[in-house]
Amino acid sequence: MLSVRTITENPQMVAERLKVKNFEAGKLIDEITTLDTQRRHIKSALDTSQAESNRISKQIGLLFREGKKEEADRAKEQTSELKEKIKELQQELSGTESLLSDLVVQLPNIPHGSVPPGNTPGDNKLVREGGSRPALGRDALPHWELARKYDIIDFELGNKITGAGFPVYKGKAAKLQRCLISFFLDEAVNAGYTEIMPPVLVNEDSAFGTGQLPDKEGQMYYVGLDNLYLIPTAEVPLTNIFRNEIIPFDELPRKLTSYTPCFRREAGSYGKDVRGLNRLHQFDKVEIVEIAHPDSSYERLEAMTSYIESLVVKLELPYRIMLLCGGDMSFHASKTYDFEVFSAAQEKWLEVSSVSNFESFQSNRMMLRYREKEGKKINNAHTLNGSALALPRIVAALLENNQTPDGIRIPDVLAGRCGFDIIDS
RNA sequence: GGAGAGGUGGCCGAGUGGUCGAAGGCGCACGCCUGGAAAGUGUGUAUACCUCAAAAGGGUAUCGCGGGUUCGAAUCCCGCCUUCUCCGCCA
Protein backbone atom coordinates (compact mmCIF):
# COMPACT_ATOMS: atom_id res chain seq x y z
CA MET A 1 0.00 0.00 0.00
CA LEU A 2 1.00 3.58 -0.46
CA SER A 3 2.07 5.36 2.66
CA VAL A 4 -0.49 7.72 4.09
CA ARG A 5 2.10 10.44 3.99
CA THR A 6 2.63 10.02 0.25
CA ILE A 7 -1.10 10.29 -0.26
CA THR A 8 -1.78 13.26 1.97
CA GLU A 9 1.29 15.21 0.90
CA ASN A 10 0.82 14.74 -2.85
CA PRO A 11 -2.87 14.14 -3.34
CA GLN A 12 -3.12 15.56 -6.83
CA MET A 13 0.03 13.80 -8.03
CA VAL A 14 -1.26 10.46 -6.76
CA ALA A 15 -4.66 10.97 -8.37
CA GLU A 16 -3.07 12.02 -11.65
CA ARG A 17 -0.72 9.06 -11.84
CA LEU A 18 -3.39 6.55 -10.91
CA LYS A 19 -5.37 7.61 -13.97
CA VAL A 20 -2.77 5.70 -15.98
CA LYS A 21 -4.15 2.63 -14.23
CA ASN A 22 -7.67 3.82 -15.01
CA PHE A 23 -8.26 4.33 -11.32
CA GLU A 24 -10.30 7.29 -10.18
CA ALA A 25 -8.76 8.05 -6.79
CA GLY A 26 -10.02 11.53 -5.99
CA LYS A 27 -12.79 10.59 -3.59
CA LEU A 28 -10.75 7.98 -1.80
CA ILE A 29 -7.86 10.39 -1.36
CA ASP A 30 -10.17 13.01 0.13
CA GLU A 31 -11.54 10.52 2.61
CA ILE A 32 -8.07 9.39 3.53
CA THR A 33 -6.91 12.95 4.07
CA THR A 34 -9.87 13.69 6.32
CA LEU A 35 -9.48 10.51 8.31
CA ASP A 36 -5.78 11.05 8.73
CA THR A 37 -6.32 14.52 10.11
CA GLN A 38 -8.84 13.06 12.50
CA ARG A 39 -6.44 10.32 13.48
CA ARG A 40 -3.71 12.80 14.32
CA HIS A 41 -6.04 14.90 16.44
CA ILE A 42 -7.14 11.87 18.40
CA LYS A 43 -3.60 10.63 18.83
CA SER A 44 -2.57 14.03 20.08
CA ALA A 45 -5.36 14.15 22.64
CA LEU A 46 -4.63 10.61 23.73
CA ASP A 47 -0.94 11.33 24.20
CA THR A 48 -1.75 14.33 26.33
CA SER A 49 -4.11 12.35 28.53
CA GLN A 50 -1.68 9.52 28.93
CA ALA A 51 1.09 11.94 29.85
CA GLU A 52 -1.19 13.38 32.51
CA SER A 53 -2.05 9.94 33.80
CA ASN A 54 1.61 8.98 33.96
CA ARG A 55 2.34 12.14 35.90
CA ILE A 56 -0.30 11.42 38.50
CA SER A 57 0.75 7.81 38.88
CA LYS A 58 4.29 8.87 39.52
CA GLN A 59 3.07 11.29 42.13
CA ILE A 60 1.04 8.64 43.87
CA GLY A 61 4.11 6.44 44.04
CA LEU A 62 6.07 9.26 45.66
CA LEU A 63 3.31 10.02 48.15
CA PHE A 64 3.14 6.39 49.22
CA ARG A 65 6.85 6.27 49.75
CA GLU A 66 6.63 9.35 51.92
CA GLY A 67 3.83 7.73 53.88
CA LYS A 68 1.24 10.29 52.85
CA LYS A 69 -1.44 7.71 52.35
CA GLU A 70 -4.43 10.02 52.46
CA GLU A 71 -3.04 12.36 49.84
CA ALA A 72 -2.30 9.38 47.67
CA ASP A 73 -5.85 8.10 47.98
CA ARG A 74 -7.15 11.51 47.02
CA ALA A 75 -4.95 11.51 43.95
CA LYS A 76 -6.28 8.10 43.00
CA GLU A 77 -9.79 9.43 42.84
CA GLN A 78 -8.62 12.02 40.37
CA THR A 79 -7.62 9.39 37.89
CA SER A 80 -10.88 7.57 37.29
CA GLU A 81 -12.22 10.21 34.97
CA LEU A 82 -8.94 10.37 33.15
CA LYS A 83 -8.86 6.62 32.73
CA GLU A 84 -12.30 6.71 31.22
CA LYS A 85 -11.20 9.37 28.79
CA ILE A 86 -8.11 7.44 27.81
CA LYS A 87 -10.13 4.34 27.14
CA GLU A 88 -12.52 6.25 24.93
CA LEU A 89 -9.73 7.91 23.01
CA GLN A 90 -7.99 4.60 22.52
CA GLN A 91 -11.11 3.07 21.06
CA GLU A 92 -11.62 6.08 18.87
CA LEU A 93 -8.05 5.90 17.67
CA SER A 94 -8.06 2.25 16.80
CA GLY A 95 -11.41 2.64 15.09
CA THR A 96 -10.10 5.50 12.99
CA GLU A 97 -6.90 3.67 12.21
CA SER A 98 -8.68 0.62 10.95
CA LEU A 99 -11.06 2.72 8.84
CA LEU A 100 -8.05 4.50 7.44
CA SER A 101 -6.18 1.36 6.56
CA ASP A 102 -9.30 -0.11 4.98
CA LEU A 103 -9.25 2.85 2.62
CA VAL A 104 -5.52 3.03 2.00
CA VAL A 105 -5.45 -0.62 1.06
CA GLN A 106 -7.89 0.12 -1.76
CA LEU A 107 -5.49 2.39 -3.61
CA PRO A 108 -3.38 0.65 -6.25
CA ASN A 109 0.30 1.32 -6.59
CA ILE A 110 1.36 4.36 -8.57
CA PRO A 111 2.66 3.43 -12.01
CA HIS A 112 6.13 4.56 -13.02
CA GLY A 113 6.36 7.47 -15.44
CA SER A 114 7.43 5.17 -18.27
CA VAL A 115 4.28 3.04 -18.07
CA PRO A 116 2.08 3.59 -21.12
CA PRO A 117 -1.61 4.32 -20.59
CA GLY A 118 -4.15 1.81 -21.82
CA ASN A 119 -6.72 -0.76 -20.86
CA THR A 120 -6.08 -4.02 -22.58
CA PRO A 121 -3.18 -6.27 -23.51
CA GLY A 122 -3.43 -4.63 -26.93
CA ASP A 123 -2.06 -1.45 -25.38
CA ASN A 124 1.08 -3.14 -24.07
CA LYS A 125 4.27 -2.07 -25.79
CA LEU A 126 6.64 -4.48 -27.45
CA VAL A 127 10.08 -3.92 -25.97
CA ARG A 128 11.97 -6.47 -28.01
CA GLU A 129 11.72 -9.94 -29.38
CA GLY A 130 14.10 -12.72 -30.19
CA GLY A 131 14.48 -16.32 -31.26
CA SER A 132 12.87 -17.77 -34.31
CA ARG A 133 9.63 -19.63 -34.79
CA PRO A 134 9.95 -23.17 -36.04
CA ALA A 135 8.43 -24.17 -39.34
CA LEU A 136 6.00 -26.85 -38.29
CA GLY A 137 4.05 -28.99 -40.66
CA ARG A 138 0.28 -28.84 -40.94
CA ASP A 139 0.07 -31.95 -38.79
CA ALA A 140 1.80 -30.29 -35.84
CA LEU A 141 0.20 -31.25 -32.54
CA PRO A 142 -0.59 -29.07 -29.54
CA HIS A 143 1.30 -30.08 -26.42
CA TRP A 144 -1.63 -31.87 -24.83
CA GLU A 145 -1.77 -34.17 -27.83
CA LEU A 146 1.98 -34.68 -27.72
CA ALA A 147 1.73 -35.41 -24.01
CA ARG A 148 -0.76 -38.18 -24.77
CA LYS A 149 1.12 -39.45 -27.80
CA TYR A 150 4.34 -39.98 -25.86
CA ASP A 151 2.57 -40.73 -22.56
CA ILE A 152 4.55 -38.16 -20.61
CA ILE A 153 1.95 -35.90 -19.02
CA ASP A 154 -1.28 -37.40 -17.77
CA PHE A 155 -4.10 -34.96 -17.19
CA GLU A 156 -6.76 -37.59 -16.55
CA LEU A 157 -4.65 -39.21 -13.90
CA GLY A 158 -4.37 -35.84 -12.20
CA ASN A 159 -8.16 -35.58 -12.29
CA LYS A 160 -8.41 -38.91 -10.57
CA ILE A 161 -5.93 -38.13 -7.85
CA THR A 162 -6.82 -34.52 -7.21
CA GLY A 163 -8.88 -32.72 -9.82
CA ALA A 164 -8.61 -30.60 -12.94
CA GLY A 165 -5.46 -28.54 -13.18
CA PHE A 166 -3.19 -30.97 -11.39
CA PRO A 167 -1.35 -32.89 -14.10
CA VAL A 168 0.89 -35.86 -13.50
CA TYR A 169 4.29 -35.78 -15.20
CA LYS A 170 5.70 -39.15 -16.09
CA GLY A 171 9.01 -40.56 -17.25
CA LYS A 172 11.00 -38.17 -19.40
CA ALA A 173 8.60 -35.30 -18.72
CA ALA A 174 9.07 -35.73 -14.99
CA LYS A 175 12.81 -35.68 -15.47
CA LEU A 176 12.60 -32.72 -17.81
CA GLN A 177 10.70 -30.90 -15.10
CA ARG A 178 13.41 -31.67 -12.57
CA CYS A 179 16.16 -30.59 -14.96
CA LEU A 180 14.46 -27.34 -15.83
CA ILE A 181 14.22 -26.53 -12.13
CA SER A 182 17.87 -27.25 -11.50
CA PHE A 183 18.88 -25.41 -14.67
CA PHE A 184 16.99 -22.30 -13.60
CA LEU A 185 18.35 -22.46 -10.07
CA ASP A 186 21.94 -22.96 -11.20
CA GLU A 187 21.65 -20.06 -13.61
CA ALA A 188 20.24 -17.82 -10.89
CA VAL A 189 22.95 -18.74 -8.43
CA ASN A 190 25.56 -17.99 -11.09
CA ALA A 191 23.92 -14.62 -11.55
CA GLY A 192 24.39 -13.83 -7.88
CA TYR A 193 21.10 -14.94 -6.37
CA THR A 194 21.13 -16.83 -3.09
CA GLU A 195 19.19 -20.05 -3.27
CA ILE A 196 16.45 -20.43 -0.68
CA MET A 197 14.05 -23.24 -0.02
CA PRO A 198 11.17 -21.68 1.90
CA PRO A 199 7.93 -23.06 3.32
CA VAL A 200 5.10 -23.33 0.82
CA LEU A 201 2.48 -22.57 3.44
CA VAL A 202 2.42 -19.08 4.86
CA ASN A 203 0.55 -17.30 7.61
CA GLU A 204 -1.79 -14.36 7.32
CA ASP A 205 0.84 -11.72 8.02
CA SER A 206 2.97 -12.96 5.16
CA ALA A 207 0.04 -13.11 2.76
CA PHE A 208 -0.83 -9.57 3.73
CA GLY A 209 2.76 -8.39 3.38
CA THR A 210 3.04 -9.14 -0.32
CA GLY A 211 -0.54 -8.10 -1.01
CA GLN A 212 -2.44 -11.37 -1.48
CA LEU A 213 -4.59 -10.40 1.47
CA PRO A 214 -6.96 -8.84 2.19
CA ASP A 215 -8.49 -8.82 -1.30
CA LYS A 216 -7.28 -11.90 -3.07
CA GLU A 217 -7.88 -14.68 -0.62
CA GLY A 218 -10.10 -16.36 -3.19
CA GLN A 219 -7.04 -17.00 -5.35
CA MET A 220 -5.20 -18.95 -2.67
CA TYR A 221 -5.79 -22.39 -1.26
CA TYR A 222 -6.50 -22.00 2.42
CA VAL A 223 -5.85 -24.50 5.19
CA GLY A 224 -8.48 -23.42 7.65
CA LEU A 225 -7.59 -25.75 10.46
CA ASP A 226 -4.24 -24.03 10.87
CA ASN A 227 -5.07 -20.69 9.30
CA LEU A 228 -2.38 -21.04 6.62
CA TYR A 229 -2.31 -20.35 2.90
CA LEU A 230 -0.61 -22.32 0.13
CA ILE A 231 1.66 -19.94 -1.70
CA PRO A 232 0.63 -18.79 -5.17
CA THR A 233 4.27 -17.89 -5.82
CA ALA A 234 7.61 -18.01 -4.02
CA GLU A 235 7.48 -14.24 -3.98
CA VAL A 236 5.38 -14.50 -0.83
CA PRO A 237 7.77 -16.40 1.46
CA LEU A 238 10.88 -14.87 -0.11
CA THR A 239 9.88 -11.25 0.27
CA ASN A 240 8.50 -11.87 3.74
CA ILE A 241 11.92 -13.04 4.86
CA PHE A 242 12.55 -9.33 5.21
CA ARG A 243 9.29 -8.37 6.87
CA ASN A 244 9.93 -6.07 9.85
CA GLU A 245 13.61 -5.86 9.04
CA ILE A 246 15.96 -2.95 8.58
CA ILE A 247 18.65 -3.77 6.03
CA PRO A 248 21.98 -1.96 6.22
CA PHE A 249 22.72 0.20 3.19
CA ASP A 250 25.71 -1.82 2.08
CA GLU A 251 23.74 -5.06 2.00
CA LEU A 252 21.53 -3.83 -0.83
CA PRO A 253 20.50 -5.18 -3.17
CA ARG A 254 19.55 -8.49 -1.60
CA LYS A 255 19.04 -11.12 -4.29
CA LEU A 256 17.21 -14.38 -3.65
CA THR A 257 16.00 -17.23 -5.77
CA SER A 258 13.81 -20.14 -5.00
CA TYR A 259 12.08 -23.06 -6.57
CA THR A 260 8.64 -23.83 -5.19
CA PRO A 261 5.48 -25.40 -6.40
CA CYS A 262 2.83 -22.71 -6.76
CA PHE A 263 -0.86 -23.11 -6.02
CA ARG A 264 -3.59 -21.04 -7.57
CA ARG A 265 -7.29 -21.54 -7.34
CA GLU A 266 -8.06 -19.40 -10.40
CA ALA A 267 -11.72 -20.07 -9.79
CA GLY A 268 -13.98 -20.27 -12.78
CA SER A 269 -11.35 -20.23 -15.48
CA TYR A 270 -12.02 -23.13 -17.79
CA GLY A 271 -12.09 -23.38 -21.54
CA LYS A 272 -9.97 -23.39 -24.63
CA ASP A 273 -7.35 -20.94 -23.35
CA VAL A 274 -6.59 -23.04 -20.34
CA ARG A 275 -6.17 -26.40 -22.02
CA GLY A 276 -3.27 -28.63 -21.19
CA LEU A 277 -0.48 -26.84 -19.42
CA ASN A 278 -1.69 -23.37 -20.24
CA ARG A 279 -3.15 -22.78 -16.82
CA LEU A 280 -2.90 -25.02 -13.78
CA HIS A 281 -3.82 -25.10 -10.13
CA GLN A 282 -0.41 -26.42 -9.21
CA PHE A 283 2.74 -25.66 -11.13
CA ASP A 284 6.46 -25.33 -10.65
CA LYS A 285 8.29 -22.05 -10.80
CA VAL A 286 11.68 -20.63 -10.04
CA GLU A 287 11.39 -17.10 -8.78
CA ILE A 288 13.90 -14.30 -8.32
CA VAL A 289 13.36 -11.60 -5.72
CA GLU A 290 15.36 -8.47 -5.06
CA ILE A 291 15.28 -5.92 -2.29
CA ALA A 292 16.78 -2.75 -3.67
CA HIS A 293 17.62 0.83 -2.79
CA PRO A 294 14.99 3.20 -4.22
CA ASP A 295 17.65 5.00 -6.26
CA SER A 296 18.63 1.86 -8.13
CA SER A 297 15.49 -0.26 -8.21
CA TYR A 298 14.80 0.50 -11.87
CA GLU A 299 18.34 -0.47 -12.82
CA ARG A 300 17.67 -3.72 -10.97
CA LEU A 301 14.43 -4.19 -12.90
CA GLU A 302 16.32 -3.92 -16.18
CA ALA A 303 19.04 -6.24 -14.92
CA MET A 304 16.44 -8.82 -13.89
CA THR A 305 14.80 -8.49 -17.28
CA SER A 306 18.08 -9.12 -19.09
CA TYR A 307 18.76 -12.07 -16.86
CA ILE A 308 15.40 -13.65 -17.64
CA GLU A 309 15.94 -12.96 -21.31
CA SER A 310 19.17 -14.95 -21.14
CA LEU A 311 17.16 -17.97 -20.00
CA VAL A 312 14.69 -17.99 -22.87
CA VAL A 313 17.58 -17.45 -25.27
CA LYS A 314 19.40 -20.48 -23.89
CA LEU A 315 16.22 -22.52 -24.22
CA GLU A 316 16.09 -21.46 -27.88
CA LEU A 317 12.52 -20.30 -27.63
CA PRO A 318 10.97 -17.51 -29.70
CA TYR A 319 10.07 -14.81 -27.23
CA ARG A 320 8.99 -11.24 -26.84
CA ILE A 321 9.14 -8.81 -23.95
CA MET A 322 6.15 -6.59 -23.36
CA LEU A 323 5.98 -3.47 -21.25
CA LEU A 324 2.56 -3.62 -19.63
CA CYS A 325 0.22 -0.68 -19.96
CA GLY A 326 -1.34 0.82 -16.85
CA GLY A 327 -4.62 -1.02 -17.20
CA ASP A 328 -3.04 -4.44 -17.67
CA MET A 329 -0.69 -4.15 -14.72
CA SER A 330 -1.35 -5.71 -11.37
CA PHE A 331 -2.71 -3.69 -8.51
CA HIS A 332 0.62 -3.81 -6.68
CA ALA A 333 3.13 -3.07 -9.42
CA SER A 334 4.74 0.17 -10.48
CA LYS A 335 6.18 -1.25 -13.64
CA THR A 336 5.98 -4.69 -15.18
CA TYR A 337 7.55 -6.51 -18.08
CA ASP A 338 5.94 -9.69 -19.29
CA PHE A 339 7.87 -12.39 -21.10
CA GLU A 340 5.97 -14.42 -23.62
CA VAL A 341 7.15 -17.40 -25.61
CA PHE A 342 5.54 -18.48 -28.84
CA SER A 343 3.99 -21.90 -28.65
CA ALA A 344 4.04 -22.87 -32.29
CA ALA A 345 1.31 -25.49 -32.56
CA GLN A 346 -1.25 -23.51 -30.60
CA GLU A 347 0.08 -20.48 -32.44
CA LYS A 348 -0.18 -18.52 -29.24
CA TRP A 349 2.02 -16.33 -27.11
CA LEU A 350 2.21 -17.74 -23.60
CA GLU A 351 3.23 -15.64 -20.64
CA VAL A 352 6.11 -17.34 -18.88
CA SER A 353 7.40 -14.55 -16.71
CA SER A 354 6.34 -11.30 -15.21
CA VAL A 355 8.98 -9.02 -13.73
CA SER A 356 7.88 -6.13 -11.61
CA ASN A 357 9.14 -3.32 -9.49
CA PHE A 358 6.74 -2.76 -6.61
CA GLU A 359 8.71 0.19 -5.31
CA SER A 360 7.68 0.62 -1.67
CA PHE A 361 4.15 -0.74 -2.08
CA GLN A 362 4.96 -4.06 -0.44
CA SER A 363 7.72 -2.83 1.83
CA ASN A 364 5.42 -0.23 3.34
CA ARG A 365 2.88 -2.82 4.35
CA MET A 366 5.47 -5.23 5.71
CA MET A 367 7.78 -2.63 7.28
CA LEU A 368 10.72 -3.64 5.14
CA ARG A 369 13.22 -0.84 5.45
CA TYR A 370 16.87 -0.07 4.89
CA ARG A 371 19.18 2.28 6.72
CA GLU A 372 20.60 5.08 4.62
CA LYS A 373 24.37 5.35 4.47
CA GLU A 374 24.50 8.97 5.54
CA GLY A 375 22.49 10.30 8.42
CA LYS A 376 21.20 6.89 9.50
CA LYS A 377 17.80 7.69 8.09
CA ILE A 378 15.43 4.80 7.61
CA ASN A 379 13.28 4.38 4.52
CA ASN A 380 11.16 1.77 2.85
CA ALA A 381 13.19 -0.41 0.51
CA HIS A 382 11.97 -1.29 -2.95
CA THR A 383 10.92 -4.84 -3.71
CA LEU A 384 11.09 -6.56 -7.08
CA ASN A 385 10.39 -10.01 -8.31
CA GLY A 386 10.13 -12.05 -11.45
CA SER A 387 9.54 -15.56 -12.65
CA ALA A 388 12.72 -17.17 -13.88
CA LEU A 389 10.84 -19.08 -15.06
CA ALA A 390 7.40 -20.66 -14.74
CA LEU A 391 7.66 -24.21 -16.01
CA PRO A 392 4.41 -25.40 -17.55
CA ARG A 393 4.21 -22.97 -20.42
CA ILE A 394 7.92 -23.34 -21.06
CA VAL A 395 7.33 -27.07 -21.31
CA ALA A 396 4.34 -26.50 -23.56
CA ALA A 397 6.43 -24.40 -25.93
CA LEU A 398 9.37 -26.80 -25.81
CA LEU A 399 7.13 -29.72 -26.69
CA GLU A 400 5.29 -27.97 -29.48
CA ASN A 401 8.18 -26.08 -31.03
CA ASN A 402 10.63 -28.95 -30.98
CA GLN A 403 8.38 -31.68 -32.29
CA THR A 404 9.75 -33.65 -35.21
CA PRO A 405 8.58 -36.81 -36.93
CA ASP A 406 11.12 -38.69 -34.81
CA GLY A 407 10.13 -37.22 -31.48
CA ILE A 408 10.58 -34.08 -29.43
CA ARG A 409 14.05 -32.60 -29.52
CA ILE A 410 15.47 -31.39 -26.19
CA PRO A 411 17.49 -28.17 -26.39
CA ASP A 412 21.25 -28.58 -25.89
CA VAL A 413 21.30 -26.70 -22.65
CA LEU A 414 18.99 -29.30 -21.09
CA ALA A 415 19.99 -32.46 -22.91
CA GLY A 416 23.15 -32.90 -20.87
CA ARG A 417 21.29 -32.65 -17.61
CA CYS A 418 18.46 -34.87 -18.73
CA GLY A 419 20.63 -37.59 -20.15
CA PHE A 420 18.51 -37.70 -23.33
CA ASP A 421 18.12 -35.37 -26.27
CA ILE A 422 14.83 -36.60 -27.61
CA ILE A 423 11.47 -37.68 -26.27
CA ASP A 424 10.19 -40.46 -28.46
CA SER A 425 8.27 -43.64 -27.94
C1' G B 1 -0.31 -34.85 21.42
C1' G B 2 1.15 -34.99 27.19
C1' A B 3 4.42 -32.98 31.40
C1' G B 4 7.91 -29.29 32.89
C1' A B 5 11.03 -24.79 32.08
C1' G B 6 11.87 -20.43 29.29
C1' G B 7 10.97 -15.96 25.55
C1' U B 8 14.01 -8.72 28.07
C1' G B 9 17.48 -3.87 23.23
C1' G B 10 22.25 -5.96 17.42
C1' C B 11 24.02 -10.03 20.99
C1' C B 12 24.75 -11.84 26.21
C1' G B 13 22.36 -10.80 30.63
C1' A B 14 20.17 -8.24 35.40
C1' G B 15 15.54 -6.92 36.84
C1' U B 16 9.13 -10.25 40.55
C1' G B 17 4.49 -3.83 41.40
C1' G B 18 6.51 2.78 41.16
C1' U B 19 12.20 6.76 40.49
C1' C B 20 12.69 0.99 34.31
C1' G B 21 13.09 2.29 27.45
C1' A B 22 15.08 -0.87 31.02
C1' A B 23 21.67 -2.16 35.29
C1' G B 24 26.13 -4.51 33.61
C1' G B 25 28.88 -6.62 29.69
C1' C B 26 29.90 -7.53 24.44
C1' G B 27 29.50 -5.48 19.71
C1' C B 28 29.19 -1.00 16.81
C1' A B 29 30.12 4.56 15.83
C1' C B 30 32.81 8.86 16.97
C1' G B 31 36.72 11.16 20.03
C1' C B 32 41.13 11.00 23.30
C1' C B 33 45.66 8.33 23.93
C1' U B 34 49.63 6.20 20.02
C1' G B 35 54.71 7.20 15.10
C1' G B 36 50.69 3.52 13.61
C1' A B 37 47.87 -0.28 15.88
C1' A B 38 46.38 -3.12 20.19
C1' A B 39 45.30 -2.12 25.13
C1' G B 40 43.23 1.81 27.88
C1' U B 41 39.71 5.78 28.18
C1' G B 42 35.35 9.24 27.16
C1' U B 43 30.74 9.89 24.68
C1' G B 44 26.96 7.91 21.94
C1' U B 45 24.26 3.61 20.22
C1' A B 46 15.98 0.76 19.29
C1' U B 47 11.41 1.39 16.53
C1' A B 48 6.59 3.50 15.41
C1' C B 49 3.44 7.46 16.05
C1' C B 50 2.05 12.61 17.87
C1' U B 51 3.91 17.70 18.39
C1' C B 52 7.28 21.22 15.65
C1' A B 53 7.79 24.99 8.94
C1' A B 54 12.39 22.04 9.53
C1' A B 55 16.22 20.65 12.81
C1' A B 56 16.71 20.54 17.94
C1' G B 57 13.55 19.44 21.65
C1' G B 58 9.16 17.48 23.98
C1' G B 59 5.27 13.62 24.37
C1' U B 60 2.96 8.57 23.78
C1' A B 61 3.49 3.40 22.94
C1' U B 62 6.50 -0.96 22.67
C1' C B 63 10.44 -6.16 27.50
C1' G B 64 7.17 -12.93 22.23
C1' C B 65 1.64 -11.55 20.70
C1' G B 66 -3.33 -10.28 22.50
C1' G B 67 -6.51 -9.35 26.59
C1' G B 68 -7.22 -8.48 32.09
C1' U B 69 -6.11 -6.72 37.40
C1' U B 70 -4.00 -1.92 39.37
C1' C B 71 -3.59 5.05 40.43
C1' G B 72 0.81 2.47 38.30
C1' A B 73 2.83 -3.89 34.95
C1' A B 74 9.04 -6.30 31.99
C1' U B 75 7.26 -7.86 36.97
C1' C B 76 0.56 -10.39 38.89
C1' C B 77 -3.75 -13.18 36.12
C1' C B 78 -5.95 -15.41 31.40
C1' G B 79 -5.55 -16.94 26.12
C1' C B 80 -2.32 -17.65 21.96
C1' C B 81 2.49 -18.16 19.47
C1' U B 82 7.32 -19.88 20.00
C1' U B 83 12.06 -22.25 22.09
C1' C B 84 14.30 -25.99 25.16
C1' U B 85 14.06 -30.81 28.16
C1' C B 86 11.47 -35.48 28.96
C1' C B 87 7.50 -38.89 27.17
C1' G B 88 4.42 -40.49 22.99
C1' C B 89 3.90 -40.59 17.60
C1' C B 90 6.33 -40.25 12.95
C1' A B 91 9.08 -39.56 6.92
Side-chain angles (χ1 to χ4, degrees):
Chain A
M1 61 187 165
L2 299 173
S3 77
V4 174
R5 183 159 302 171
T6 306
I7 299 164
T8 56
E9 284 178 3
N10 323 281
Q12 64 286 27
M13 181 278 277
V14 172
E16 203 53 45
R17 298 281 285 284
L18 284 180
K19 283 184 184 153
V20 175
K21 277 194 171 177
N22 308 314
F23 190 93
E24 196 42 67
K27 193 169 160 242
L28 209 45
I29 291 174
D30 287 347
E31 288 171 2
I32 288 168
T33 308
T34 309
L35 265 181
D36 184 54
T37 308
Q38 250 175 55
R39 188 197 115 251
R40 294 207 321 273
H41 284 326
I42 298 165
K43 169 74 168 140
S44 230
L46 175 63
D47 283 358
T48 308
S49 296
Q50 278 177 325
E52 174 71 1
S53 158
N54 287 343
R55 217 201 75 235
I56 295 172
S57 290
K58 229 168 245 184
Q59 230 170 38
I60 292 174
L62 284 174
L63 289 172
F64 268 121
R65 190 141 347 100
E66 290 164 16
K68 297 174 181 168
K69 198 153 176 306
E70 279 159 40
E71 275 184 62
D73 286 337
R74 239 178 297 138
K76 274 193 202 179
E77 286 163 29
Q78 263 189 293
T79 60
S80 69
E81 204 177 317
L82 194 56
K83 275 182 75 175
E84 202 54 42
K85 189 174 168 191
I86 287 172
K87 199 161 203 171
E88 272 172 37
L89 284 168
Q90 273 170 339
Q91 272 166 11
E92 218 179 312
L93 182 66
S94 69
T96 308
E97 277 173 347
S98 79
L99 274 178
L100 185 60
S101 77
D102 286 351
L103 293 183
V104 173
V105 155
Q106 291 175 39
L107 280 180
N109 198 2
I110 298 172
H112 187 251
S114 60
V115 170
N119 277 315
T120 65
D123 298 317
N124 296 340
K125 274 171 59 179
L126 177 67
V127 177
R128 53 180 182 272
E129 51 190 328
S132 52
R133 302 186 191 186
L136 297 181
R138 199 163 303 134
D139 54 349
L141 298 173
H143 67 271
W144 52 88
E145 300 287 354
L146 292 165
R148 187 198 311 271
K149 178 174 173 188
Y150 295 108
D151 190 26
I152 49 173
I153 305 174
D154 196 327
F155 295 96
E156 282 74 33
L157 192 53
N159 288 343
K160 171 183 171 183
I161 300 171
T162 306
F166 294 89
V168 176
Y169 301 85
K170 303 197 287 194
K172 285 182 174 176
K175 182 141 191 205
L176 177 64
Q177 202 77 2
R178 172 154 59 92
C179 293
L180 276 166
I181 291 165
S182 82
F183 168 63
F184 291 147
L185 283 174
D186 288 348
E187 291 287 312
V189 169
N190 284 338
Y193 293 89
T194 302
E195 184 173 347
I196 302 283
M197 195 176 263
V200 299
L201 285 153
V202 296
N203 60 29
E204 236 175 306
D205 285 347
S206 293
F208 178 83
T210 30
Q212 278 69 33
L213 294 180
D215 280 341
K216 295 169 184 59
E217 60 261 81
Q219 295 178 11
M220 286 186 292
Y221 287 96
Y222 174 58
V223 183
L225 203 53
D226 297 291
N227 198 26
L228 298 172
Y229 296 86
L230 274 85
I231 57 170
T233 158
E235 163 197 350
V236 179
L238 286 184
T239 312
N240 274 286
I241 287 175
F242 303 101
R243 172 153 48 86
N244 285 323
E245 296 292 332
I246 300 172
I247 303 174
F249 176 87
D250 53 15
E251 286 180 23
L252 295 176
R254 298 292 303 265
K255 301 169 66 177
L256 303 181
T257 186
S258 189
Y259 154 71
T260 65
C262 300
F263 304 90
R264 298 194 182 173
R265 296 188 63 238
E266 315 266 13
S269 50
Y270 292 93
K272 172 162 143 292
D273 286 350
V274 301
R275 281 201 74 172
L277 296 172
N278 288 354
R279 188 178 303 183
L280 301 171
H281 287 310
Q282 177 181 333
F283 63 97
D284 295 304
K285 178 160 65 66
V286 172
E287 182 81 358
I288 52 176
V289 163
E290 295 204 19
I291 314 298
H293 190 283
D295 291 346
S296 54
S297 65
Y298 281 94
E299 285 165 38
R300 296 314 310 158
L301 181 66
E302 296 304 320
M304 290 168 80
T305 305
S306 310
Y307 167 70
I308 293 163
E309 186 172 11
S310 77
L311 297 178
V312 284
V313 168
K314 284 178 186 171
L315 291 172
E316 303 169 44
L317 290 169
Y319 68 94
R320 63 182 191 186
I321 305 173
M322 309 299 290
L323 171 59
L324 296 196
C325 70
D328 201 30
M329 263 164 72
S330 84
F331 187 82
H332 317 95
S334 284
K335 183 172 181 176
T336 300
Y337 292 112
D338 269 7
F339 276 76
E340 298 176 339
V341 298
F342 192 73
S343 206
Q346 298 182 73
E347 298 187 67
K348 263 167 60 168
W349 288 101
L350 302 178
E351 182 193 328
V352 292
S353 177
S354 193
V355 209
S356 302
N357 188 353
F358 300 89
E359 296 196 4
S360 53
F361 197 78
Q362 292 179 326
S363 60
N364 185 52
R365 45 168 67 204
M366 68 167 81
M367 298 265 286
L368 193 181
R369 296 97 92 217
Y370 71 95
R371 195 178 299 278
E372 202 65 82
K373 195 173 196 172
E374 307 293 339
K376 296 174 123 192
K377 262 193 84 175
I378 289 168
N379 289 312
N380 288 325
H382 281 191
T383 63
L384 305 94
N385 67 56
S387 345
L389 294 158
L391 294 232
R393 293 173 188 164
I394 289 288
V395 170
L398 285 175
L399 296 182
E400 292 184 15
N401 295 11
N402 297 334
Q403 60 183 300
T404 71
D406 304 323
I408 296 159
R409 195 181 55 78
I410 302 298
D412 295 344
V413 76
L414 294 174
R417 277 173 199 270
C418 288
F420 54 84
D421 58 9
I422 195 154
I423 295 176
D424 44 20
S425 66

